[in-house]
Amino acid sequence: QVQLVESGGGLVQAGGSLRLSCAASGSIFSIGAMGWYRQAPGKQRELVATMPNAGSTNYADSVKGRFTISRDNAKNSVYLQMNSLKPEDTAVYYCNAAILGPWASPLYWGQGTQVTVSS
């Protein structure tokens, strides 16, 4: 069993910053790509940022220059530093991780953490 637990969400004023954390635990040998997605009320879940275990990161155009994804492989964790937050960044933020196995690499999701940006 693998679990992903996010933390760090909350309420912040526009222009402020938050740092989200996501830690994976359980039967883990190796993790591939890790990422962050978000879902605002009435909208579909969308990619925010992804980071492979090697190679370049990928960001949604709407967050480029404001958000930074990073990971600590020793801690099986991924982080999202969010600066210059805007009200349109308000959403539930989910992390995911591809858990590498001998025959498959299933994708696991966290339960989500709420980020609310007030104007």
Side-chain angles (χ1 to χ4, degrees):
Q1 292 286 348
V2 174
Q3 284 189 322
L4 272 65
V5 179
E6 299 106 334
S7 60
L11 173 64
V12 64
Q13 288 188 333
S17 299
L18 283 174
R19 185 174 187 255
L20 304 183
S21 299
C22 172
S25 62
S27 300
I28 298 172
F29 174 71
S30 181
I31 301 178
M34 302 184 80
W36 291 94
Y37 288 68
R38 67 186 182 187
Q39 187 167 16
K43 295 187 177 181
Q44 289 189 333
R45 190 173 296 188
E46 62 177 6
L47 178 147
V48 176
T50 60
M51 187 172 192
N53 52 10
S56 60
T57 56
N58 181 43
Y59 293 94
D61 288 342
S62 59
V63 306
K64 282 181 181 177
R66 300 188 298 121
F67 290 10
T68 303
I69 187 172
S70 61
R71 61 190 285 173
D72 185 336
N73 291 332
K75 296 182 178 180
N76 291 335
S77 294
V78 63
Y79 309 96
L80 187 68
Q81 178 66 44
M82 304 185 294
N83 299 327
S84 302
L85 282 161
K86 304 175 181 180
E88 51 263 43
D89 293 319
T90 295
V92 178
Y93 284 70
Y94 299 90
C95 68
N96 70 7
I99 306 302
L100 304 182
W103 301 287
S105 300
L107 194 65
Y108 287 85
W109 291 86
Q111 81 288 352
T113 185
Q114 177 70 46
V115 171
T116 303
V117 184
S118 63
S119 57

